[in-house]
Amino acid sequence: MSRTQHTADALRAMHEQGYMLLRGVLQPRQIDEVRVTIDQLEPIHWDYQGLVDDHYKCVFNRDPFWLPYLDLPGVIELAEACLGADCHVIGQTAWRSHPGFVGGELHADYLAMELPEALLADPAFKLPMQVCTAHIYLDRIDADLCPTWVIPGSHRAGRKPRVDETSWQGREAEPIFCEAGDVLMFRSDLWHAGSRNRTADRSRYLLQVHYGRRMVAQKFSPYLQWRFNPAVIAAATPRQRRLLGEHEASEYD
């Protein structure tokens, strides 16, 4: 199957199911390198190293090493198909979840507006995406190692889940099991949840990339004090520079 056809099929899944699992995106060497590099990170600003998890924001700005993970082959084509050829990155987060970690409850990350579910039930209506997230898994994810749970099609609810709501239209959340190097792309209005690390001695390593339409603001902390790393900008390709915010002039520039 050509990459163009694969992207078209993945885009269809994003509209119908709200997510797509891309297999074998990273090679074993890349997986090892990213894990080692995450282990070398130190917290800055809102980053933290906790008892059961470590969280590092905007890692792309620390070193050119992270740039290739903004536009991985197969992932960037899907992001652009979902959000437009002028989409950009609104975050890149490295995350370690240690034994005892407890993931978030069922939620949707971002909803541009609430819409009637009756409208969204029409298969002819395609709800535009505003933000998508790529979960780049650096471990084999099984039932004990923090699988992401999703409710397929729940982006068509037109709202976020209510407190204690665990299903949509009778459909319960399903875990995503995958191999190290796989990437889960999902839209921000999909109902999804984290889960526990039930292992005794394994930490889940995860790299997240958040993509938004051009009109979705880039959220780079520490905001007013933000400065791009000159070494990163110098090393970035034209596509990576656009993902970092170097857009062509438009209506609001």
Side-chain angles (χ1 to χ4, degrees):
M1 181 187 298
S2 70
R3 180 169 293 175
T4 299
Q5 184 58 51
H6 188 271
T7 299
D9 291 344
L11 178 62
R12 187 176 306 110
M14 294 291 287
H15 280 297
E16 295 175 357
Q17 301 298 319
Y19 69 95
M20 179 66 185
L21 184 62
L22 305 171
R23 298 283 189 178
V25 174
L26 295 192
Q27 299 303 309
R29 174 187 56 80
Q30 294 173 296
I31 295 167
D32 292 341
E33 289 177 350
V34 175
R35 288 173 63 94
V36 168
T37 307
I38 290 176
D39 285 337
Q40 296 169 349
L41 293 173
E42 295 292 337
I44 300 173
H45 191 57
W46 284 345
D47 302 342
Y48 62 84
Q49 292 176 331
L51 293 176
V52 293
D53 69 324
D54 310 312
H55 202 259
Y56 308 95
K57 297 179 179 293
C58 298
V59 294
F60 63 81
N61 204 44
R62 297 188 181 222
D63 189 278
F65 168 84
W66 299 100
L67 285 171
Y69 299 94
L70 297 178
D71 58 347
L72 288 166
V75 178
I76 186 59
E77 289 85 359
L78 180 55
E80 291 174 346
C82 291
L83 302 169
D86 59 351
C87 67
H88 55 209
V89 166
I90 62 174
Q92 185 187 43
T93 303
W95 201 351
R96 286 182 301 207
S97 302
H98 305 301
F101 172 78
V102 178
E105 299 294 330
L106 191 68
H107 65 284
D109 290 333
Y110 172 70
L111 190 69
M113 66 181 72
E114 291 198 0
L115 292 171
E117 191 168 328
L119 170 65
L120 299 174
D122 182 352
F125 179 74
K126 290 185 177 180
L127 180 64
M129 292 170 248
Q130 303 300 320
V131 173
C132 294
T133 291
H135 276 190
I136 303 168
Y137 293 102
L138 305 169
D139 300 274
R140 180 176 182 275
I141 301 300
D142 55 31
D144 293 326
L145 192 62
C146 311
T148 304
W149 292 66
V150 301
I151 299 184
S154 56
H155 60 288
R156 288 185 171 272
R159 59 175 176 82
K160 294 186 176 184
R162 302 184 182 98
V163 176
D164 297 329
E165 197 167 16
T166 60
S167 65
W168 177 73
Q169 291 192 344
R171 194 157 191 177
E172 300 285 339
E174 303 171 4
I176 302 294
F177 300 136
C178 59
E179 300 296 326
D182 292 347
V183 176
L184 174 67
M185 180 78 89
F186 61 94
R187 47 192 297 159
S188 65
D189 43 5
L190 180 74
W191 295 11
H192 63 284
S195 62
R196 295 176 178 268
N197 184 341
R198 302 180 185 276
T199 73
D201 56 0
R202 289 187 291 158
S203 295
R204 183 192 69 173
Y205 283 65
L206 178 70
L207 184 63
Q208 295 177 308
V209 183
H210 306 289
Y211 299 95
R213 287 189 180 273
R214 178 175 177 173
M215 288 299 119
V216 175
Q218 292 181 291
K219 300 169 175 64
F220 300 155
S221 61
Y223 305 117
L224 293 180
Q225 291 78 41
W226 174 263
R227 295 291 184 274
F228 276 107
N229 181 339
V232 169
I233 298 303
T237 66
R239 179 186 245 168
Q240 290 163 355
R241 289 176 69 102
R242 186 259 297 171
L243 288 170
L244 295 177
E246 188 178 67
H247 290 287
E248 296 180 1
S250 72
E251 294 83 358
Y252 301 106
D253 292 333

